[in-house]
Amino acid sequence: MSQEPEIKNVTVQDDSEKSTTRSHYSPDVESEDFKREVEAYGSPLRGNRLTWAIAFVTGTGFTLFGYDQGVMSALLSAGQFEKTFPEVIVNDQHRNHATLQSLLVAIYELGCLVGALSNLWVGDRLGRRRTIILGGVIMIIGAIIQAASFSYAQILVARVITGLGNGLNTSTVPSYHAECSPAAKRGALIMIEGSLITFGIMISYWIDFALFWAKASSAQWRVPIALQIILALIMIVFINFLPESPRWLLKTGQSAHAMAVISALEDKSISDPDVQQTFHAINEAVALEEGTTSGIETKGQPAGKASLRELFSGGRSQNFRRVALGVVIQCFQQITGINIITYYATLLFEMLGISDVKSRIIAACNGTEYFLASLIAIALIDRVGRRKLMIFGSIGQTLTMVLLAILGSINNSATQVVSAVLLFVFNSFFAVGWLGMTWLYPAEIVGLRMRGPANALSTASNWTFNFLVVMVTGPSFENITWRTYIVFASLNAFIIPCVYFFFPETAGRSLEASVDMDVIFALAHLEGVSPVTVSLRKDIPAAGSPEADRILGFGNDSVGIDE
């Protein structure tokens, strides 16, 4: 048994000049009992090896995400798939089948939406790792039922089940990776995850093409769907060898375990000043974010769990504004129209008059180029910053959609070739500006206390608008053809001023809620200016400084400690 941690009562003065008192663990990190307990949680993986192991497992989760998104693209027009599910065949005799075809693709997003929202209740209860394992198991069940389907209704249900698991994963994996990454590398590491989404899409396109030649067997579509099980198994098995997020461990009162994880991530002893500074910074962040919690947290139980009401609060914390930004950025990613290409690439090339075999080859090349373009963002994200990349991507996407609409209205062999090239161009702009951004930004913009519910809501936003876009695409092209591109050109143009005026820069900021982004929003609130303006300033008080504490309402004149 470790020594009982010291309990400190911290009085916090809020904006209304009232105070609340709460208790929080402050463990004696120098005690021998504490050190022995930390050693019991020692990890064989440390430093860069651990960092890259975490990147590999979380990257597998995003590769699985991309694979599942792209796998249906070529299957929709595969002969054996149409034979098993005639409801997806769209022709002059069955024009209403455009809706049924879109529903088969889009209903997956509804499952993802429910999975993401369920993270509001299960995420902090299970922890990051167990939530990811649960999501992977559910995806395997869904994939097995999909691959074994013999009717339209059966595959619809199976895709919902698969979506449930993916929704849990996509609302958890980014947080887990961000919380186990140093600020200087966090942007690049999570952008790598974005690249792995496109890597999964690329793999699915080439596997679809390879199995296209199995025209006499239902393996033509069953094998591509079933292969995602391999990725899910890799993720489930290997995450058992990784540590839990230190931030979640401290939220649940597991101080020694958290210290062991921080020590392993930094590859330093627990007595090292950097390790202790990181530990105390996160611990302080947890304490400061428990402003509505009284009593003492108990091991294994969420400490200071955020209520839904707090998501709508303002004041210095600006919770509503910050959660709204996470929700909106996920919406923006989807209304760009990227999933017109991701889910319907093969069909789009066939609509341009390209043969079925060539359409599949070009779609696979499109997925490959998409993956290669995404690597550019890895090098730029921490150098250029989040805002500039989003604006750059949106401008390029707007111009590309305008050109696609113009060329679509002309519609001859020459314009069809250029249109095919422009689909590659659109992917490139999106890969640089928006692909990984919407998984990184929501994790950075909100504080620790709000991060679980905020990520669930932002991911739910992603899947809601993903469903809407995918659902309307088939009927839209069926009814207004090339004018569909005008709609998405307008939506991309709308995004540009929104990002410029409302989205603060988060590059290089700490994930600890007591510093950096909290200071920026609190300072903006106190000065009555835009957080965007404050985020671009160079005079933000250093983390943990007395000035930063006063801005947050924890200065010497508002914080008292009774020992």
Side-chain angles (χ1 to χ4, degrees), residues 412-466:
N412 56 42
S413 58
T415 60
Q416 287 173 351
V417 172
V418 178
S419 293
V421 173
L422 285 175
L423 293 177
F424 283 73
V425 173
F426 183 90
N427 274 356
S428 299
F429 280 114
F430 181 86
V432 172
W434 284 90
L435 176 62
M437 193 72 68
T438 50
W439 305 106
L440 172 65
Y441 196 86
E444 293 183 320
I445 200 69
V446 298
L448 176 63
R449 182 174 173 79
M450 293 291 116
R451 195 167 296 146
N455 282 339
L457 289 173
S458 64
T459 309
S461 169
N462 180 289
W463 294 117
T464 300
F465 288 94
N466 194 328

Side-chain angles (χ1 to χ4, degrees), residues 120-139:
L120 282 167
W121 292 274
V122 304
D124 277 344
R125 187 177 299 276
L126 294 180
R128 312 295 189 236
R129 290 195 315 154
R130 284 183 289 182
T131 301
I132 293 170
I133 291 171
L134 175 62
V137 169
I138 294 174
M139 286 196 75

Side-chain angles (χ1 to χ4, degrees), residues 497-519:
C498 291
V499 172
Y500 183 82
F501 288 110
F502 299 111
F503 283 74
E505 182 57 70
T506 62
R509 307 296 182 184
S510 168
L511 279 180
E512 271 59 73
S514 62
V515 293
D516 290 348
M517 292 313 299
D518 269 11
V519 174

Side-chain angles (χ1 to χ4, degrees), residues 326-505:
V327 170
V328 169
I329 195 173
Q330 291 277 23
C331 161
F332 282 175
Q333 186 196 56
Q334 294 307 311
I335 64 175
T336 60
I338 182 60
N339 281 324
I340 291 178
I341 303 173
T342 300
Y343 284 101
Y344 297 103
T346 303
L347 292 178
L348 287 177
F349 290 121
E350 288 180 351
M351 287 168 57
L352 293 174
I354 302 171
S355 68
D356 57 356
V357 174
K358 290 182 179 178
S359 291
R360 283 165 169 77
I361 295 174
I362 296 174
C365 291
N366 177 269
T368 304
E369 186 273 339
Y370 189 16
F371 166 63
L372 294 175
S374 70
L375 300 177
I376 298 172
I378 299 172
L380 296 179
I381 184 66
D382 286 319
R383 291 188 178 94
V384 177
R386 285 50 163 161
R387 283 165 45 84
K388 290 180 181 178
L389 284 185
M390 286 190 282
I391 293 172
F392 168 78
S394 296
I395 292 173
Q397 290 157 197
T398 301
L399 295 175
T400 305
M401 284 291 183
V402 169
L403 291 174
L404 282 168
I406 293 172
L407 295 173
S409 66
I410 299 172
N411 193 28
N412 56 42
S413 58
T415 60
Q416 287 173 351
V417 172
V418 178
S419 293
V421 173
L422 285 175
L423 293 177
F424 283 73
V425 173
F426 183 90
N427 274 356
S428 299
F429 280 114
F430 181 86
V432 172
W434 284 90
L435 176 62
M437 193 72 68
T438 50
W439 305 106
L440 172 65
Y441 196 86
E444 293 183 320
I445 200 69
V446 298
L448 176 63
R449 182 174 173 79
M450 293 291 116
R451 195 167 296 146
N455 282 339
L457 289 173
S458 64
T459 309
S461 169
N462 180 289
W463 294 117
T464 300
F465 288 94
N466 194 328
F467 169 78
L468 291 174
V469 170
V470 175
M471 189 66 215
V472 304
T473 295
S476 179
F477 276 108
E478 184 70 22
N479 291 286
I480 62 173
T481 60
W482 58 267
R483 296 173 184 84
T484 301
Y485 292 120
I486 296 177
V487 175
F488 287 103
S490 302
L491 291 172
N492 277 282
F494 170 73
I495 291 172
I496 299 169
C498 291
V499 172
Y500 183 82
F501 288 110
F502 299 111
F503 283 74
E505 182 57 70

